[in-house]
């Protein structure tokens, strides 16, 4: 690919390279550069990618995208933000794969993983869609499982993964969108058909410093999606809605004035049941994952599916056959026993408290917690 094609859409401050230069590969790790490559010098939190420019050149880099002039003689392109440039370069290199699929993003502290799996099931059942999934546990292309190292991959890997999904025939992609990904430009150059805000509790303050900053990072998703789906019962919902630039559909399980509401909620040891009220109609919903948070996860999924114009009745019918995600309020079969065993991924004080409170909500006897680390 010629350099000028690769640079389309980038904010370029200085260009000291032949625009017709042929680029054979794009790397932000100098060790991975091969002859004919373009090296992107990203300024990290622990190391500065600019110091690896000589190594990249030694490995065959023919040009560098950077934020300051290199100390060695090599063609270069100066940009204001190398992380943002990397996302644009990735989209250009893989021919903007997200543009060819319907992408739905979930952001929030809790509930993202389960919600993405539930929506994947709904889209497969209602639309017969082949769905790509990007998340904490694993990435998936249809039923194929791919390894993952972080909730949202680095931008270039994310664009590569989206390109794989497009090539495999995926029509829809559902992804967990972390606050880090939004702030660090990993999720740039992706047009979201819908974005879902699940909730916000204390987490990642080592990075964001304050809860308001953490919320504002999550809110970035709602400046780049067509429809926002927001949990109106969360204390930070107002801040999310205030900064959103898209149409938003709100949901509530506490009787708030939301477009989508859960009414007549019944919590059982192996399931939740409620009536989903939307647009003047109600529809019974049953989900085989216990806990009040399952009601919220279901509402977020219903909202996302409604944003894609899927009828409420069909969504409810699909949720009826959905199963829990491994390690996420996973019900262990105990036939003939008068107790229920659940396995849950909870590993932070807040998430452990949430699961115990939720279980207490439907348990009729003792709650015994086994926690290991």
């Amino acid at each position: 690919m010629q350099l000028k094609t690769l640079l389309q859409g980038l904010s370029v401050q200085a260009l000291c390279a032949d625009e017709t230069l042929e680029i054979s590969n794009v790397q932000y790790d100098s060790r991975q550069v091969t002859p004919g490559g373009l090296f992107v010098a990203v300024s990290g939190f622990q190391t500065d990618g600019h110091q690896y420019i000589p190594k990249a050149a030694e490995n065959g880099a023919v040009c560098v995208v950077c934020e300051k002039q290199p100390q060695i003689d090599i063609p270069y392109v100066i940009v204001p933000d190398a992380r943002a440039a990397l996302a644009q370069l990735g989209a250009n290199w893989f021919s903007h794969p997200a543009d060819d699929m319907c992408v739905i993003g979930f952001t929030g502290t809790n509930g993202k993983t389960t919600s993405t799996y539930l929506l994947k099931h709904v889209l497969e059942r209602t639309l017969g869609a082949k769905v790509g999934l990007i998340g904490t546990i694993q990435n998936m292309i249809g039923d194929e499982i791919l390894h993952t190292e972080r909730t949202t991959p680095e931008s270039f890997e994310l664009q590569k993964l989206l390109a794989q999904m497009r090539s495999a025939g995926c029509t829809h992609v559902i992804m967990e969108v972390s606050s880090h990904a939004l702030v660090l430009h990993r999720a740039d150059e992706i047009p979201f058909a819908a974005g879902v805000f699940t909730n916000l509790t204390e987490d990642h303050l080592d990075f964001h410093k304050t809860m308001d900053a953490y919320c504002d990072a999550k809110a970035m998703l709602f400046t780049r999606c067509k429809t926002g789906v927001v949990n109106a019962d969360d204390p930070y919902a107002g801040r999310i809605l205030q900064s959103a630039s898209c149409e938003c559909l709100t949901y509530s399980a506490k009787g708030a004035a939301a477009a989508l509401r859960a009414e007549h909620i019944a919590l059982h040891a192996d399931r939740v049941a409620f009536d989903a009220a939307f647009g003047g109609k109600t529809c019974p919903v049953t989900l085989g994952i216990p806990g009040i948070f399952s009601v919220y996860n279901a509402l977020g999924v219903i909202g996302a599916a409604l944003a894609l114009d899927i009828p409420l009745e069909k969504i409810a019918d699909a949720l009826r056959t959905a199963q829990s995600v491994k390690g996420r309020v996973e019900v262990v079969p105990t036939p003939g026993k008068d107790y229920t065993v659940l396995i849950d991924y909870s590993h932070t004080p807040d998430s452990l408290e949430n699961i115990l409170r939720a279980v207490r909500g439907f348990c009729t006897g003792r709650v015994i917690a086994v926690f290991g680390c």
Side-chain angles (χ1 to χ4, degrees), residues 9-75:
L10 264 73
S11 176
V12 176
Q13 293 180 324
L15 176 65
C16 188
D18 182 354
E19 288 187 295
T20 64
L21 189 64
E22 284 291 338
I23 303 297
S24 63
N25 62 98
V26 178
Q27 301 290 345
Y28 59 95
D29 183 337
S30 61
R31 296 167 296 183
Q32 303 299 318
V33 175
T34 57
L38 174 76
F39 176 62
V40 185
V42 176
S43 297
F45 295 100
Q46 296 177 336
T47 58
D48 185 351
H50 291 79
Q51 71 186 60
Y52 299 108
I53 292 176
K55 179 63 177 177
E58 183 182 316
N59 286 344
V62 294
C63 187
V64 176
V65 170
C66 49
E67 296 173 6
K68 53 190 175 184
Q69 187 172 340
Q71 298 299 305
I72 64 169
D73 184 19
I74 186 172

Side-chain angles (χ1 to χ4, degrees), residues 77-113:
V77 180
I78 294 181
V79 295
D81 189 325
R83 284 189 183 277
L86 182 63
Q88 182 71 60
L89 290 165
N92 290 345
W93 184 260
F94 294 106
S95 301
H96 296 267
D99 292 354
D100 298 323
M101 298 176 288
C102 178
V103 184
I104 304 97
F106 283 80
T107 197
T109 307
N110 302 312
K112 298 188 300 296
T113 298

Side-chain angles (χ1 to χ4, degrees), residues 40 47 63 79-80 96 131 146 178 183 196 210 212 217 308 322 329 353:
V40 185
T47 58
C63 187
V79 295
H96 296 267
V131 182
L146 308 174
S178 68
V183 172
V196 181
T210 69
D212 283 350
L308 302 183
V329 201
E353 180 179 351

